[in-house]
Structures are given as structure tokens and as C-alpha cells.
Amino acid sequence: MRRTLIERFVAAAVFLYALVLYGLTIAPTVSFWDCGEFIASIYGLEVMHPPGAPFYVLVARLFSMLAPSRELVALAVNWVSALSSAVTVLLTFLIIVRLIRYWQPPADQRTWTDDFIALAGGVVGACTFAVTDSFWFNAVEAEVYAMSMLFTALVVWLGLRWSEQAAAEVATLRRGGTLSALSANRYLVLIAYLFGLAIGVHLLSLLALFFVALLVFFTEFERPEWTPAQRWLRIFGALVVSSIIFLIIYPGIIQELPDWAGKSGDPLLFGLVVLALVVGGVYYTHRRRKPAANLAMLCLAMILLGYSSYALIIIRSSVDPPIDLNDPETPHAFVSYLKREQYGETPLLRGATYNNQTGQIDQSRQVLFPRRWSPDPSHLRVYAQYDSDLDFFLRYQLGHMYIRYFLWNFVGKASDVQDAPAITGFLPGEKDLYFFQTPSERASRNVYYALPLLLGLLGMAFHFNHDWRRALSVLVLFLVTGVGIIIYLNQTPLQPRERDYSYVGSFFAFSLWVGIGAAGLLEIVRDRLKETLRRPLLWGAAVVIFAAVPLHMLLQNYDDHDRSGRYVARDYAWNLLMSLDDNAIVFTNGDNDTYPLWYLQEVEGVRQDVRVANLSLLNTSWYIKQLKHQWARKSAPLPISLSDAQIDRLSVVAWEPREIELPVRLNPATDYERLGITPEDSSRVMRPMRWRLEGRPYTRNLHLLYAADIARARHAPHQRRARLGAPHLLCRHSQSRRPARPAELLPARRSGLPCGAHPPQRDARPHRALDHAGAAPALPVHQPGQPGCLLRRKHPPHGGQLPEHLCPHRHTTGPTGTGRRRRGAARHNHGARAAGDDPGRPPLLLLPGPGLPAGGRTREGRGHLEGGRTARALHVAHGPLPA
């Protein structure tokens, strides 16, 4: 009893340590990237980007209801991640202790040193995982990864609990090998239910299935009389069976079952039939005394029960909330939502790949394991730097996109700049990688001298030496949550942000070995000491190990993981919304300039009259229809002239590069003073504006236009102004009964105005609006019945330098073309600089180029975010495109 009490006390201390740590460093409000979308969707039970996270939304909604004011809703939702992460750290401690006790003597034979070593190893491993770079980053913001990691740790812990009790029952009852009717099997049923719930958070948790499968094999099916060859052959068979079970769950239950329901013609009747079959199967196998089949049917029923949280998606989408991504209210749309079809398809085992001879994707030849598959021109330039698909996989996908992140967490990190390498802290040349001039720059350099890595490797060796079965199970978990994800994602180069958050499950598995390594060192110390010196020296060794690894990592990581004073995302959104006219339309590019606006509008109720139009989502027909037909709080539907049939027909067209000319008419006597243009600046206004519109390169001979690039200006009988200021397009949307049509999307084929990009600077003068003619006779575009395109400028007119107030702002790039910016600074999207119209002329709208897509697959460019990940601005790479 005393031992159990001490273990519970230490476990509680570990939990409180993690909870206090995350409470001190938690973000007080919304952060950049997906956090604003999550919080807004949680508060109004709305539909976030595919494939959704309905169970996370429901749990976080309960937390949001505890907030005393709307301003504290974001903090309440952030606490879901903090609490989930603290519980995960607690479970990590319990798992390490159980793994260590597998090779220790039975409880009635253990000494105090055995208990001390197990508890000390658990504390070191759990506290190390608590302060790893990626896990800590997820723990203090509103994201799904913290809760997903909680499900993973909970499944691992329950699997070990089942293994212990099942082994005791098998030894006592002398039966096993057929998943017989053991009372311990209730843990497997609970694990199945957790898998079903985890589907409604993130699919990463399902990868713990392979860990549980090996535990079941070693506990129920392994026989001592097997030869090593027979044993390893059957282990391989167990992994194959677990892979089949995984495929039954995903994509079988998750994607194919709703697809079959939609194709049946009556989804409700189909669901009732499936429910009857499952319930009947449970009843039949129970009555016929078939324990293995009954266990399988119970687990299937629990998975379906947990998966039922996805009913929230269809139910809420059917009421057309302001955030209704993909509009998944029909079976077909719901299946498309689950399959993430808007992100495009990625080849996995077979497909076309890059040809080093031609410099293009060879569509005529299918290869195994294609890694260089993207036809994007920017990706092709990167592919040319690698000799083969295997070379690209090993050096970029595995080396750069996983091993580098792994070393970040257990060796050290040079900086928080995009593509920063791992550093040890003692190798020559590492201090010269970056110039650290400010406190925040110095804080981004974290070095652990590779001590966590060495301790984890020692723990892995120690684990395999003492208990190779559980060590193999942990190894499989480590590989499938690391290398397995790399193989499945098949990532393209030039990622918009660091992706280390995806591999936290792998870092969790390695942290188990860090704790076991600490226990191994303490066992070595104990075995080499006399009885009289064991107690003080064991305590001293434990303190040294704790100080050298988790405490040192805490001190290194605290400053750059402390978000307690970061309000930049909310302030950015507030400043932008409050600067707009009543009933304005603001065109945004991607995650970091869209989601904070959604948060303020949906949660805090700020400027709900403003309509946010995301240019990346304008590549999809469902989003254009939502803008056309649906109210968004106090913002009326937009007057888009396209019919629904025309919107559905938006598709890809080739673009022939051509010279574009647009006259600029300014009256010095009246316009200069009104617009704030000084006489010395008047010479910088181009008359007329000329440029060559190239379109966006897709292949060497093919250029494309995108739906998000297109807007149409129609003649209106009254005056309106389109004001354009960095970093967004701002235009007034008239709510009068007059036929006001400020912006209309249509299948355009030709040209329009260039769009500059100029992030705001402290010493820059305020942006001024310039009046332009809305339609020039010289343009072959704006004829009656012909559409007009508004696209990003590709080249200055005649190859010359654009005036400051019209030319794009050029950012400095690194050797590989990646932007060199830092965490903590807001990412500003590209915006237009000038536009307006004279009385009686059509309004002319300048659209910024594509940026970080809100739910779209991404391409290349530059950009930034707040709070921990540098990014590149992106080009949207999914259709449909303009007709």
C-alpha cells in the first residue's frame, strides 16, 4: 500500500509540474495558423477544414462555455491542449514505470532501490517529453495534436494494463491463444472505443494499433517451444494482420462506409442496416459462445460508436454556418470532405515520377515508390538536385523532414528560422550559422549537447537487453509514427512551414527510452556501490541526470516557448477589421490573414458586417456559392453574377502571355490633394500602365489562370470607391437597393490590373488610393459581355523598375529560395496598393496574389507566422480554375 501511495504521489507531482509549466506559457488568445479557425469553429459548432475534428470540437466547446467573457474563449480552448498535454505527461510517467517493472522482480521481492529506479526513470522520461520542442509547442495553443497525443498515450497505457492482467489470467487459467473470454479483454474494448473517438480528433492516434497488436501477440499467441525463425515469422504475420485491421478502420470504416451509404440511395436506411448487423453480430457471437468473434464484434461496435461524432459535421453543415468548409451536408460532399479531395491525390506505392533527362514528370512511365511526383515548376527545380527518387527520399523526406526534427527535440536546434539545422552545442562552426543580435534571436538557439539522444539510445539498448518484446513494440510505435508517416505523406519540397508537429508520436516513443535509459544508468550505479553508499549516491545520480536532461532542456526552451505575452495575431486582426468601412469586403490569401479575422468575428463579435473573402478558397465552387447565397452574421451575400451552373463549370484553361495596357487618368487640380499625392510624387505615377501578363507557369509550355485571380467590374449608376491598401484589398460593399455590384467573379480569359505587394513598414507613408479608368478601349478584355481578369503582376512594364507605390516588395531569400523570417513576427500577405474610380465609371479591384491557402494544397513562395514556425508564401495548387 505504501509503495502504491508513493507512486501515486510522484505521478501527481509530475502531472502538476506539466500543468503549471503549460499554464505559465499558454497563449492568452488566438495564435496564427489553424488556431483561429479551430476556436471560431468550436465556439459556433461550425465546420472546419477537412477531414474535421468533431470530437475535439465538442470537448473544446464545453471548455469555451466556462469562459466568463468572449475575450477569454480563446484562452479556455487553449487550456484543452494544456490539460491534454499534462495528462499525456502523466501517462508517459506511468508507461515508463510499467515498462521498467517488466524486468524487475515481482512486487513481493522488490527492494526500495527497485522502486526508486523505476520512479526516477519515469520522472526523467516524462519530464523530458514535457519540454521537448514540438510537444511543448502543441501544448499551449488551440490545435488537435495535443489531444491526439493524449489518445495515443492512453492507448499505449491501456495496452500495457491489458497485457499484465491477461498474462496473469492465462497463467492462472491455463488457456489462451484464441483471445479467449478473459476479463482483461474489457481493456481491448475500451481501446477500440478510444480509436473511434480518436478518429474525431486526428488519425495519427490510430497508429498505436500496431503497438497493441504486438502486445496481444506476445501475451496470447506466443509459445515457448517456437524456434527463432518461427517466432519472427509469426511476428511478421502479426504485423500483417494489424495492417489489415488498420485498413479496415482507415479507409474502410472512415471513408468507404459513408461512400457506400451515399451510393445506396437512402443513407438513413443503410445506417440502420449496418447498426442491425453489428448488434446482431454481437448478440449471435455471445449466444454461440464464440469469444474471439464476440470480442471482434464488440470492438467494431465501439469503433463505430466513437466514429459517430462525425454526425456533428453533417448536422451543423446543414444549417449553413458562416464557416462551412467544403459544405459537407450531402453524402457525396461528406465523403469528399473525409477523403480530403480538395488537397489532391498523392501517389504512394506506384505512379509517375521526375525524369532527370527531360527535367519533367514522365507521365508515360509508372514506377514503384514514386517520390518526385509534383509537376509544379518550383518543385521540378528542386527535384533536379537529386539523382533519384531514393536519393530524394533519404536526403529530403527522411533526412530533412524527419531526422532533422528528431534531432531538434533531442540534440538541439540552431534557430527558429525556416529549415534551421540541428546543432549539438559543441561542434565547431555551429555558432557561425546565424547572427543572434536580439534577445528573441538568442532565445531561439537551444542546445542540449545531445544528452537526451544519448540517454535514449542507452535506454533502447537497455530495453532490448532486458525485455526485447516490449522494446520491439515501442520500436514499431517509434517507426510507424515517424518513418511511416513520412512514407505516407510523400511530401513535396518547399513546404510552407515546419512539420515537426506531425511526428510527436515518434518523439513520445523515444522519450520512453530516455526514461528507461535513466533507469539503466541508476541500475549500473546501484550494482557498483556498496549497500551503505547506495541511498545517497543513487539520489545524487538521479538529481544529476534530471538536471542534465529535463531541467537543462526546460531552461533552454522556456524563453522561446513562452507565449504568455503574445497577442500579435489578435491585434493584427483587430487593426485590420477596425480600419475597414462599414459593410466592407476584405480579400485575404490564406491561413494567417484569414483565421484571426474569423476568430474575432465569430467569437468576439468584432465587425461582423465585414465579409472576408478568401482567395485560396475561391478556387472551389462551393465557396463561391456560399459567398453568393449565404449571409455571414451581419454581412449580406455578395452580388456575384455567375449562375450556379457557371460556377460549377469553372475549370482549367491555358493562358497565352500578352502585353497589357491600362490608362491612368488623374486630375492634378482635384485628385492630387484629395489623394495626398505631392507634386514631386506625381512623376512616379505611370501613364499608362503596361506590363506583360505571363500567367502562372505550370509546365514549360503551359500557363494557367486561377479563379482566385479573377474579378469583374461592372458599370454602376452611382459612385463607389475601391480602396486598396497593404496587406489586403479593401472595397466598400453597398447595402442600398440600387444595383450596386462592386466585384463579380466570372470565367474570364484575359487580363486586368497588376497587383503589387508591400508589407507595411514603420517609416512608410500611408497608402493612398489612385483613380483609374475602369475599362479602357485599348483593352480587348472589357468589351460588352467579355470578362476582365485581375492578376498579380509578373514583370514590370518594359522590364523597367516599378514606382515604389506600385511595385511588389521583394523579400530577401536564402540559398534555397526560402524566406528568412522568424517566429513571433506576423506574416503579412501581399496586397494591392492603388485603385479607385471616377463617378460613373466601374469600380476596379486589385486582387493580391495567392498566399497561404486556407485548406488548399500548397506550392512555393515566402511568408511568416507568429509563435513558432517560419513559412513561405504559397501558390494554390488545386482546382477548379477559371473557364
Side-chain angles (χ1 to χ4, degrees):
M1 179 62 69
R2 183 172 176 271
R3 288 175 171 174
T4 303
L5 184 62
I6 292 175
E7 181 176 339
R8 291 176 179 176
F9 176 79
V10 176
V14 170
F15 170 76
L16 291 176
Y17 162 81
L19 190 65
V20 171
L21 175 64
Y22 301 144
L24 292 174
T25 58
I26 195 171
T29 184
V30 65
S31 301
F32 279 118
W33 293 107
D34 294 344
C35 301
E37 179 205 12
F38 278 124
I39 299 171
S41 301
I42 288 163
Y43 187 74
L45 292 180
E46 302 179 51
V47 182
M48 63 181 64
H49 67 269
F55 184 75
Y56 170 76
V57 168
L58 291 173
V59 173
R61 175 57 181 151
L62 294 177
F63 276 69
S64 71
M65 295 169 66
L66 301 176
S69 66
R70 285 190 169 194
E71 290 76 13
L72 295 177
V73 167
L75 177 61
V77 175
N78 291 341
W79 266 104
V80 176
S81 296
L83 185 59
S84 298
S85 299
V87 176
T88 302
V89 173
L90 166 64
L91 291 171
T92 304
F93 166 80
L94 297 176
I95 292 167
I96 294 173
V97 171
R98 288 189 176 276
L99 290 175
I100 293 172
R101 284 180 171 164
Y102 266 103
W103 71 75
Q104 288 186 336
D108 57 347
Q109 301 177 20
R110 286 200 301 263
T111 63
W112 75 268
T113 58
D114 294 322
D115 292 329
F116 178 83
I117 288 172
L119 296 179
V123 169
V124 171
C127 292
T128 297
F129 183 56
V131 295
T132 50
D133 180 76
S134 303
F135 183 73
W136 195 349
F137 182 83
N138 292 336
V140 292
E141 66 175 12
E143 258 285 9
V144 297
Y145 298 103
M147 185 177 287
S148 175
M149 192 60 246
L150 170 61
F151 275 100
T152 300
L154 191 56
V155 166
V156 171
W157 180 68
L158 289 174
L160 293 175
R161 287 289 301 269
W162 173 87
S163 178
E164 289 182 3
Q165 293 198 15
E169 288 188 59
V170 169
T172 302
L173 302 176
R174 301 295 180 183
R175 62 185 182 186
T178 59
L179 284 176
S180 53
L182 303 175
S183 62
N185 287 349
R186 65 185 185 274
Y187 287 109
L188 297 181
V189 177
L190 178 57
I191 287 172
Y193 180 59
L194 292 177
F195 279 144
L197 293 178
I199 295 171
V201 179
H202 201 284
L203 296 177
L204 289 176
S205 302
L206 294 179
L207 295 174
L209 171 67
F210 297 94
F211 176 86
V212 176
L214 285 180
L215 291 182
V216 171
F217 171 79
F218 288 127
T219 304
E220 276 271 322
F221 296 97
E222 187 184 20
R223 295 293 177 266
E225 63 269 16
W226 288 347
T227 65
Q230 291 175 327
R231 179 172 287 106
W232 285 106
L233 182 62
R234 286 165 171 78
I235 289 174
F236 177 77
L239 293 175
V240 171
V241 172
S242 61
S243 299
I244 295 173
I245 296 174
F246 182 86
L247 293 175
I248 291 174
I249 301 174
Y250 179 82
I253 294 175
I254 297 175
Q255 294 182 351
E256 299 304 327
L257 194 62
D259 193 18
W260 296 339
K263 294 177 180 178
S264 68
D266 192 337
L268 179 59
L269 178 61
F270 180 86
L272 292 175
V273 170
V274 171
L275 178 62
L277 290 175
V278 173
V279 173
V282 173
Y283 177 78
Y284 175 81
T285 54
H286 177 71
R287 288 295 300 271
R288 293 288 182 174
R289 299 184 182 277
K290 299 180 180 295
N294 182 252
L295 178 62
M297 293 304 300
L298 281 173
C299 290
L300 177 61
M302 291 298 101
I303 292 174
L304 291 174
L305 180 61
Y307 181 50
S308 65
S309 66
Y310 261 92
L312 176 72
I313 300 296
I314 299 178
I315 294 171
R316 293 301 298 164
S317 179
S318 64
V319 300
D320 296 328
I323 301 175
D324 188 14
L325 300 188
N326 288 66
D327 197 21
E329 59 188 58
T330 65
H332 176 75
F334 181 64
V335 172
S336 175
Y337 180 82
L338 291 175
K339 291 184 176 180
R340 300 160 52 95
E341 290 182 352
Q342 78 171 47
Y343 299 110
E345 295 184 0
T346 301
L348 183 59
L349 298 179
R350 190 171 182 83
T353 190
Y354 179 80
N355 188 318
N356 285 75
Q357 302 299 321
T358 63
Q360 298 292 324
I361 303 299
D362 187 359
Q363 301 291 348
S364 63
R365 189 170 64 97
Q366 299 285 307
V367 300
L368 293 175
F369 201 60
R371 298 285 102 184
R372 298 177 297 171
W373 54 271
S374 171
D376 187 277
S378 60
H379 297 165
L380 297 179
R381 290 191 291 271
V382 178
Y383 291 155
Q385 303 172 16
Y386 297 89
D387 297 332
S388 63
D389 279 9
L390 182 61
D391 184 34
F392 179 75
F393 170 71
L394 294 176
R395 290 171 51 196
Y396 178 79
Q397 292 184 334
L398 187 60
H400 188 74
M401 297 302 293
Y402 172 69
I403 296 178
R404 180 171 61 98
Y405 296 146
F406 173 76
L407 297 179
W408 274 11
N409 285 270
F410 299 103
V411 173
K413 184 167 65 170
S415 173
D416 56 8
V417 170
Q418 179 89 1
D419 300 318
I423 58 173
T424 61
F426 52 77
L427 293 179
E430 290 180 341
K431 292 185 178 181
D432 301 329
L433 289 173
Y434 300 96
F435 295 101
F436 302 103
Q437 299 177 345
T438 66
S440 61
E441 289 176 333
R442 288 190 291 270
S444 69
R445 183 178 184 271
N446 301 323
V447 294
Y448 321 130
Y449 307 105
L451 294 178
L453 175 67
L454 296 176
L455 194 59
L457 293 176
L458 174 65
M460 180 174 64
F462 201 83
H463 201 190
F464 270 97
N465 185 51
H466 285 74
D467 181 17
W468 69 269
R469 292 170 178 82
R470 254 62 60 181
L472 179 63
S473 303
V474 175
L475 177 63
V476 169
L477 177 66
F478 173 74
L479 292 177
V480 296
T481 54
V483 180
I485 296 176
I486 287 292
I487 294 174
Y488 175 77
L489 292 179
N490 199 0
Q491 291 172 321
T492 58
L494 304 175
Q495 287 290 310
R497 63 182 294 194
E498 303 289 8
R499 303 295 188 184
D500 55 298
Y501 53 83
S502 299
Y503 314 109
V504 173
S506 183
F507 309 150
F508 159 76
F510 192 80
S511 296
L512 302 181
W513 283 331
V514 172
I516 293 175
L521 283 179
L522 292 177
E523 284 198 5
I524 294 173
V525 172
R526 179 194 62 183
D527 295 341
R528 284 163 173 72
L529 292 177
K530 296 181 180 179
E531 183 69 30
T532 55
L533 299 177
R534 281 182 182 177
R535 185 181 296 270
L537 291 184
L538 272 180
W539 272 97
V543 170
V544 169
I545 295 173
F546 184 87
V549 179
L551 180 59
H552 178 70
M553 292 176 66
L554 168 67
L555 298 177
Q556 286 286 303
N557 290 343
Y558 190 92
D559 43 14
D560 54 320
H561 286 78
D562 181 11
R563 299 202 205 182
S564 58
R566 297 189 184 178
Y567 294 86
V568 61
R570 184 188 180 278
D571 291 346
Y572 160 78
W574 174 276
N575 292 336
L576 178 60
L577 287 175
M578 298 306 292
S579 68
L580 303 181
D581 292 337
D582 293 340
N583 303 312
I585 304 170
V586 54
F587 287 85
T588 59
N589 286 335
D591 296 10
N592 289 334
D593 58 343
T594 302
Y595 295 157
L597 304 184
W598 286 1
Y599 160 76
L600 275 184
Q601 289 184 315
E602 295 297 309
V603 179
E604 298 192 18
V606 176
R607 294 303 309 274
Q608 293 182 337
D609 61 301
V610 173
R611 175 58 68 98
V612 178
N614 183 275
L615 294 176
S616 300
L617 294 179
L618 280 172
N619 290 306
T620 62
S621 59
W622 57 265
Y623 184 68
I624 300 175
K625 291 178 182 178
Q626 287 180 357
L627 294 178
K628 178 182 177 181
H629 297 297
Q630 293 181 199
W631 281 74
R633 302 303 174 191
K634 299 176 183 178
S635 175
L638 302 186
I640 297 174
S641 61
L642 287 175
S643 67
D644 288 355
Q646 288 175 312
I647 294 173
D648 289 332
R649 290 197 300 268
L650 291 176
S651 60
V652 179
V653 295
W655 171 260
E656 291 294 337
R658 66 196 65 177
E659 294 288 337
I660 303 299
E661 179 177 309
L662 188 71
V664 177
R665 300 191 182 103
L666 290 175
N667 187 340
T670 59
D671 294 333
Y672 280 14
E673 182 178 357
R674 176 171 61 86
L675 298 174
I677 301 177
T678 60
E680 57 269 20
D681 287 337
S682 61
S683 61
R684 304 170 72 184
V685 179
M686 292 166 30
R687 300 192 184 100
M689 296 176 65
R690 297 188 185 93
W691 70 95
R692 180 173 176 81
L693 185 62
E694 298 283 353
R696 305 190 188 187
Y698 187 70
T699 65
R700 287 183 177 179
N701 301 318
L702 180 64
H703 293 247
L704 301 178
L705 297 183
Y706 285 68
D709 294 325
I710 302 173
R712 183 185 180 191
R714 293 175 59 111
H715 289 272
H718 62 284
Q719 179 179 5
R720 281 190 314 278
R721 177 191 300 176
R723 289 195 319 169
L724 300 153
H728 299 279
L729 163 68
L730 317 176
C731 69
R732 179 175 299 173
H733 173 42
S734 174
Q735 296 291 330
S736 68
R737 295 178 179 273
R738 294 176 292 179
R741 296 184 177 182
E744 299 177 358
L745 297 170
L746 57 152
R749 294 179 181 271
R750 296 206 166 80
S751 63
L753 273 179
C755 204
H758 211 310
Q761 302 175 10
R762 289 186 179 179
D763 57 349
R765 286 174 292 182
H767 297 294
R768 303 296 184 182
L770 302 180
D771 283 352
H772 294 280
L779 274 173
V781 222
H782 210 60
Q783 306 293 337
Q786 293 288 336
C789 297
L790 304 177
L791 292 177
R792 163 185 279 183
R793 176 187 295 274
K794 299 297 291 186
H795 300 287
H798 309 298
Q801 179 66 38
L802 290 178
E804 177 185 349
H805 65 287
L806 292 177
C807 68
H809 181 76
R810 305 296 182 186
H811 299 290
T812 304
T813 62
T816 61
T818 58
R820 298 298 180 190
R821 303 195 199 172
R822 308 184 50 77
R823 295 182 185 178
R827 172 192 174 276
H828 297 290
N829 286 285
H830 295 231
R833 294 298 310 266
D837 55 24
D838 293 328
R841 294 189 180 274
L844 196 57
L845 308 181
L846 306 186
L847 303 186
L852 298 177
R857 212 170 93 213
T858 61
R859 292 303 190 210
E860 51 136 354
R862 293 177 291 278
H864 195 66
L865 67 142
E866 174 270 340
R869 295 297 182 270
T870 312
R872 303 183 185 95
L874 314 170
H875 287 185
V876 179
H878 60 80
L881 306 181

